[in-house]
C-alpha cells in the first residue's frame, strides 16, 4: 500500500505537526504523547470490532483514527486507517487484521519518535 | 499572527479530542477563546446558551453528525446568527454539498491548515459584523421612528420599496453603472434612517394632530438637516464605510423635490442624489397609504394617482415610471407588511395638508 520512498520518510511529519501546533514544540510533544497513550486502546477496540465483524463500527473507528493521525501529521498511519475504513465492508477479517498489524508497527515508530522528542527529530 | 483578543467565542465540535484540542489551541493563538464539545448533543446545549457566534464542527460524529447539528442550529434559530464552518475530508464533496444545503456557511478541509482556518474565521466575522451593523442601524431607526409612528412596520416597508425600485432601475441601461448589488444592499440598510433627525424635533410639533403653523413647519423641516448633518459627520470620520455616505445623503435629501421646491437645500433634478429621490417616492407612497394623526389612509389607487401627477414636479420622472411599473408590488408589500389595516374606501381629503409641506408647494402630500 505504501511506496518504498514513503516508507523511508519519517513517520511523523515534524514540520507539518509543529505548524499545526502554531510553532509550539511543547504543545506538539504533549499531543503526540496523548496520541501514543491512546492509540493502543484504539487499536485494541478496532481489533475486537474486526473480530466481531461489526463493519459499521470498524469503519467509524478507522475514520476517527484517520482524522487523528492526519491532525498529528502521521500520514502513513492515516493512510492505513483510510484503507481500513474503505475495506471494512468488503474485505475478509484476515485482510483487515493485516492492516491493523501494519498500523501497530507504524505506531511503534511513532512511539520511538515521541520518546526521542521532536526537537531531536531531523 | 494576530494575538489580539477577539470578543467572539467559538465552539469547536469534534468527537476526536486530539483534533478538537489542536484546533482550540490554534484558535487561542489567533486570539479567539473557544470551548470544546465532543458530540453534537453537547454542542446544541452550548449553542442554546447564545454565547457562541461561530461553530466549527466535524462532519462525521456518532449520534448527531455535523450536518444534523447544523440543521438543528438553523431550525432552532436564536437571537443572533450562528456562523457554521464544517470540517470535512479533502475529497468529501458530498458532505460539503449536504452541509451547505443544511445551512452551513463554509467548510475547511481536514486536517486544517492554521492560516487557512484563520482566513475562514475572518470571513465569518465579517458576515457577523454586517449582520450586527444592519440590526443596530434598524434598531436605532426604529427607536427614532417610534415617537411618531405607533406601529413598527413603516420602516420595514420603506426599505422594501427602496429595494424594489433600485432592483428595477438596475435593469435600465442608464442606471447600470450607478446601481449594483452593494448599492441595493446599502439602500436597504440605510433608508430606515431617513427620518433619524426627528429625534431633534419637539413632541408638541412632531405629534401635533392638526395643522402646523408656518413657524412649527419650519422647525419640522429641520429634521432632514439634523439627520443629514449628524450622519455627514459620521461619514466623514469613516470614509471607508460607503454606506454611511448613502445614509447621510438619504437623510439630507429625501424631502427635496425634482422641481427644486423641496427642503432643506432646494436642490433640483439630478443634483438630488439618486438615493434621496428613491426614498422620496417610497416615503410618500407609504405616508399616503398609511393612517397618520393628521390624515386617514388613502387607498392604493389614490396614492398611485397622486405620485403619477407629481412626475416632473415633486418626483424624478424616471422614478415615477419605475414606480408605475411596480405599483402592484408596492400594493402587495403594503398589504403584507401592514400593521394597521387601511379601509379600501378611505377617501382623499381635498383640504388635506401635510405637516411638513407648506401650502404653496403642497400639490403632493409628503410624509414627515
Ligand atoms: Fe422625513
Amino acid at each position: 500500500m505504501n511506496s518504498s520512498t514513503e516508507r523511508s520518510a519519517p513517520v511523523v511529519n515534524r514540520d507539518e505537526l509543529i505548524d499545526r501546533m502554531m510553532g509550539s514544540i511543547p504543545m506538539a510533544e504533549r499531543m503526540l504523547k496523548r496520541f501514543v497513550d491512546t492509540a493502543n486502546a484504539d487499536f485494541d477496540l478496532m481489533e475486537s470490532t474486526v473480530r466481531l465483524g461489526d463493519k459499521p463500527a470498524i469503519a467509524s473507528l478507522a475514520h476517527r483514527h484517520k482524522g487523528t493521525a492526519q491532525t498529528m501529521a502521521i500520514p502513513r498511519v492515516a493512510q492505513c486507517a483510510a484503507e481500513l475504513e474503505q475495506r471494512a465492508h468488503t474485505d475478509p477479517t484476515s485482510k483487515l487484521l493485516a492492516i491493523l498489524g501494519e498500523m501497530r508497527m507504524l505506531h511503534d515508530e511513532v512511539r520511538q519518535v515521541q520518546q526521542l522528542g521532536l526537537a531531536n527529530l531531523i | 499572527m494576530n494575538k489580539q483578543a477577539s470578543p467572539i467565542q467559538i465552539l469547536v465540535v469534534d468527537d476526536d479530542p486530539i483534533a478538537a484540542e489542536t484546533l482550540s489551541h490554534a484558535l487561542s493563538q489567533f486570539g479567539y477563546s473557544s470551548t470544546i464539545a465532543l458530540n453534537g448533543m453537547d454542542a446544541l446545549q452550548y449553542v442554546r446558551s447564545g454565547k457562541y457566534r461561530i461553530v466549527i464542527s466535524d462532519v462525521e460524529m456518532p449520534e448527531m453528525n455535523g450536518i444534523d447539528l447544523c440543521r438543528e442550529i438553523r431550525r432552532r434559530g436564536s437571537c443572533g446568527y450562528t456562523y457554521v464552518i464544517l470540517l470535512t475530508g479533502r475529497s468529501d464533496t458530498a458532505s460539503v454539498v449536504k452541509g451547505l444545503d443544511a445551512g452551513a456557511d463554509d467548510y475547511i478541509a481536514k486536517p486544517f491548515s492554521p492560516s487557512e482556518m484563520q482566513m475562514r474565521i475572518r470571513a465569518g466575522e465579517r458576515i457577523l459584523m454586517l449582520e450586527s451593523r444592519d440590526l443596530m442601524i434598524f434598531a436605532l431607526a426604529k427607536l427614532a421612528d417610534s415617537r411618531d409612528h405607533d406601529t413598527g412596520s413603516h420602516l420595514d416597508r420603506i426599505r422594501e420599496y427602496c429595494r424594489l425600485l433600485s432592483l428595477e432601475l438596475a435593469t435600465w441601461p442608464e442606471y447600470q453603472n450607478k446601481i449594483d448589488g452593494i448599492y441595493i444592499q446599502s439602500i436597504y440598510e440605510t433608508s430606515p434612517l431617513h427620518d433619524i433627525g426627528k429625534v431633534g424635533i419637539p413632541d408638541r410639533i412632531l405629534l401635533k394632530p392638526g395643522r402646523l403653523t408656518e413657524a412649527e413647519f419650519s422647525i419640522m423641516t429641520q429634521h432632514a438637516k439634523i439627520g443629514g448633518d449628524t450622519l455627514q459627520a459620521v461619514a466623514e470620520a469613516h470614509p471607508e464605510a460607503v454606506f454611511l455616505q448613502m445614509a447621510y445623503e438619504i437623510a439630507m435629501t429625501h424631502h427635496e423635490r425634482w422641481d427644486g421646491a423641496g427642503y432643506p437645500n432646494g436642490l433640483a433634478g439630478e443634483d438630488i442624489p439618486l438615493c434621496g429621490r428613491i426614498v422620496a417616492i417610497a416615503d410618500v407612497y407609504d405616508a399616503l397609504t398609511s393612517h397618520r394623526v393628521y390624515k386617514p389612509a388613502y387607498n392604493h389607487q389614490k396614492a398611485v394617482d397622486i405620485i403619477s401627477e407629481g412626475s416632473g414636479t415633486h418626483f424624478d420622472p424616471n422614478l415615477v415610471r419605475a414606480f408605475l411599473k411596480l405599483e402592484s408590488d408596492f400594493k402587495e408589500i403594503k398589504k403584507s407588511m401592514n400593521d394597521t389595516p387601511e379601509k379600501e374606501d378611505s377617501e382623499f381629503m381635498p383640504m388635506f395638508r401635510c405637516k411638513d409641506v407648506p401650502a404653496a408647494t403642497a400639490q403632493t402630500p409628503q410624509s414627515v
Side-chain angles (χ1 to χ4, degrees):
Chain A
M1 92 191 62
N2 296 315
S3 73
S4 54
T5 44
E6 279 172 332
R7 276 177 190 283
S8 63
V11 70
V12 179
N13 185 332
R14 180 183 178 275
D15 292 347
E16 188 190 325
L17 175 61
I18 292 174
D19 178 53
R20 194 159 295 125
M21 300 299 164
M22 305 296 291
S24 165
I25 293 180
M27 173 73 182
E29 290 189 326
R30 194 162 67 79
M31 298 311 282
L32 196 59
K33 179 166 189 321
R34 202 155 148 190
F35 177 78
V36 166
D37 290 346
T38 53
N40 259 340
D42 272 9
F43 291 142
D44 290 345
L45 193 58
M46 278 189 264
E47 187 175 330
S48 57
T49 50
V50 169
R51 292 188 188 283
L52 290 167
D54 185 350
K55 291 168 187 195
I58 301 164
S60 165
L61 287 169
H63 177 85
R64 204 180 81 166
H65 198 78
K66 176 182 76 181
T68 317
Q70 283 174 337
T71 301
M72 296 310 298
I74 310 172
R76 277 186 276 153
V77 172
Q79 204 172 343
C80 281
E83 195 168 347
L84 188 61
E85 180 189 3
Q86 229 170 41
R87 293 174 182 260
H89 291 277
T90 51
D91 281 28
T93 304
S94 59
K95 173 69 189 169
L96 301 181
L97 287 174
I99 300 172
L100 260 176
E102 188 171 352
M103 283 166 83
R104 283 189 195 270
M105 274 165 56
L106 287 168
H107 177 66
D108 287 340
E109 279 185 53
V110 177
R111 188 189 297 116
Q112 283 168 24
V113 168
Q114 184 260 318
Q115 284 167 351
L116 199 65
L118 281 173
N120 299 314
L121 192 71
I122 299 159
Chain B
M1 191 188 305
N2 168 27
K3 283 200 172 188
Q4 211 180 346
S6 163
I8 288 188
Q9 299 262 339
I10 300 179
L11 182 66
V12 172
V13 192
D14 201 319
D15 62 323
D16 173 359
I18 289 179
E21 201 174 318
T22 304
L23 182 53
S24 182
H25 171 74
L27 291 173
S28 72
Q29 296 300 296
F30 289 130
Y32 302 100
S33 53
S34 62
T35 301
I36 293 173
L38 292 173
N39 61 66
M41 297 309 287
D42 285 355
L44 264 188
Q45 294 292 337
Y46 282 120
V47 170
R48 270 194 216 123
S49 73
K51 198 170 142 191
Y52 302 94
R53 307 295 312 278
I54 297 180
V55 173
I56 303 177
S57 175
D58 187 23
V59 170
E60 274 211 37
M61 294 183 292
E63 293 169 54
M64 178 184 280
N65 68 28
I67 291 164
D68 291 338
L69 170 65
C70 187
R71 204 169 280 126
E72 273 302 297
I73 290 172
R74 293 288 173 256
R75 196 175 67 79
R76 286 162 194 261
S78 64
C79 50
Y81 188 73
T82 308
Y83 191 86
V84 180
I85 301 173
L86 291 177
L87 291 161
T88 66
R90 287 206 182 275
S91 54
D92 195 1
T93 321
S95 286
V96 170
V97 172
K98 267 193 202 166
L100 295 176
D101 186 49
D105 298 282
D106 202 355
Y107 65 93
I108 301 175
K110 273 181 104 175
F112 73 93
S113 126
S115 49
E116 184 195 353
M117 191 194 61
Q118 187 187 26
M119 294 307 132
R120 302 286 180 138
I121 292 173
R122 277 202 195 153
E125 280 186 296
R126 282 197 291 273
I127 299 283
L128 294 172
M129 222 172 67
L130 283 175
E131 191 226 7
S132 315
R133 187 186 81 188
D134 186 29
L135 288 174
M136 206 166 74
I137 292 173
F138 203 57
L140 288 172
K142 283 217 168 186
L143 188 65
D145 193 57
S146 64
R147 277 179 69 216
D148 62 331
H149 292 149
D150 310 336
T151 51
S153 301
H154 163 63
L155 296 179
D156 299 78
R157 292 190 299 268
I158 291 289
R159 64 184 188 174
E160 290 298 335
Y161 297 144
C162 288
R163 177 155 63 183
L164 199 60
L165 283 168
S166 307
L167 279 167
E168 168 62 24
L169 292 180
T171 66
W172 296 16
E174 61 265 50
Y175 291 98
Q176 270 168 9
N177 289 333
K178 293 180 192 154
I179 301 181
D180 57 10
I182 293 173
Y183 189 98
I184 294 167
Q185 183 61 26
S186 296
I187 204 167
Y188 182 77
E189 283 181 15
T190 58
S191 53
L193 289 170
H194 66 284
D195 273 342
I196 195 95
K198 282 190 193 165
V199 293
I201 304 299
D203 271 351
R204 69 171 182 84
I205 296 171
L206 188 67
L207 306 178
K208 187 176 176 180
R211 286 185 180 188
L212 298 179
T213 65
E214 289 302 320
E216 286 167 343
F217 176 75
S218 159
I219 293 170
M220 187 57 153
T221 61
Q222 290 294 310
H223 81 274
K225 190 163 160 39
I226 296 169
D229 286 346
T230 307
L231 288 165
Q232 186 180 26
V234 187
E236 280 172 1
H238 298 278
E240 75 288 353
V242 180
F243 76 101
L244 285 174
Q245 175 68 21
M246 184 184 273
Y248 145 65
E249 288 177 352
I250 286 174
M252 189 65 101
T253 65
H254 72 283
H255 285 290
E256 298 289 0
R257 292 171 49 115
W258 186 253
D259 59 10
Y263 65 86
N265 294 315
L267 298 179
E270 294 198 345
D271 285 346
I272 308 166
L274 179 60
C275 54
R277 284 177 266 151
I278 293 174
V279 173
I281 216 162
D283 196 24
V284 168
Y285 175 81
D286 201 62
L288 289 171
T289 52
S290 301
H291 171 80
R292 293 284 188 271
V293 284
Y294 50 85
K295 68 170 260 302
Y298 310 140
N299 67 34
H300 169 76
Q301 193 49 52
K302 198 82 198 172
V304 171
D305 292 346
I306 291 170
I307 288 172
S308 187
E309 282 163 23
S311 176
T313 52
H314 191 153
F315 305 112
D316 176 346
N318 275 351
L319 276 163
V320 173
R321 265 173 57 217
F323 168 77
L324 292 175
K325 196 173 165 194
L326 301 165
E327 51 119 333
S328 58
D329 297 316
F330 270 69
K331 188 178 183 181
E332 208 41 55
I333 290 170
K334 173 68 187 168
K335 232 165 101 182
S336 65
M337 303 177 91
N338 195 10
D339 29 33
T340 48
E342 318 296 1
K343 281 192 270 171
E344 274 298 312
D345 60 351
S346 54
E347 287 295 320
F348 176 65
M349 290 164 65
M351 294 306 289
F352 162 73
R353 182 173 162 215
C354 181
K355 273 198 291 190
D356 63 353
V357 183
T361 59
Q363 296 97 330
T364 311
Q366 275 192 322
S367 65
V368 281

